[in-house]
């Protein structure tokens, strides 16, 4: 939109397509938020892993994205075989 404004060339078909995509993504995010809220209310989520610096450790990460420290090997969840 900004680029169209700068060039003073508006394409309504492109704007409609992009807005439709954004609306679809927004709807899906709403569905995911509802699913996450339901899982949390049932107590089915594990606490997020955190680095010593306090940043969240993403699943499969070997290093902290914030400070670069190596992550510890993830502990197996209860009931999982190693």
């Amino acid at each position: 939109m900004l680029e169209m404004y700068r060039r003073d060339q508006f394409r309504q078909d492109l704007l409609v397509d992009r807005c439709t995509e954004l609306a679809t993504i927004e709807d899906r995010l709403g569905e995911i938020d509802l699913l996450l809220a339901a899982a949390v209310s049932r107590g089915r989520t594990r606490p997020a892993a955190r680095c010593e610096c306090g940043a969240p450790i993403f699943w499969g990460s070997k290093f902290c994205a914030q400070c670069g420290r190596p992550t510890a090997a993830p502990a197996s969840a209860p009931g999982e075989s190693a």
Side-chain angles (χ1 to χ4, degrees), residues 20-75:
T20 302
E21 288 176 27
L22 285 173
T24 303
I25 291 169
E26 187 177 36
D27 290 343
R28 183 62 180 142
L29 284 174
E31 292 171 4
I32 291 170
D33 283 340
L34 287 173
L35 291 171
L36 286 172
V40 168
S41 70
R42 291 184 183 135
R44 301 180 109 190
T45 60
R46 289 187 248 160
R50 298 238 174 230
C51 179
E52 293 175 29
C53 71
I57 302 292
F58 299 108
W59 184 81
S61 297
K62 297 188 190 294
F63 297 94
C64 174
Q66 184 70 32
C67 69
R69 287 185 181 111
T71 60

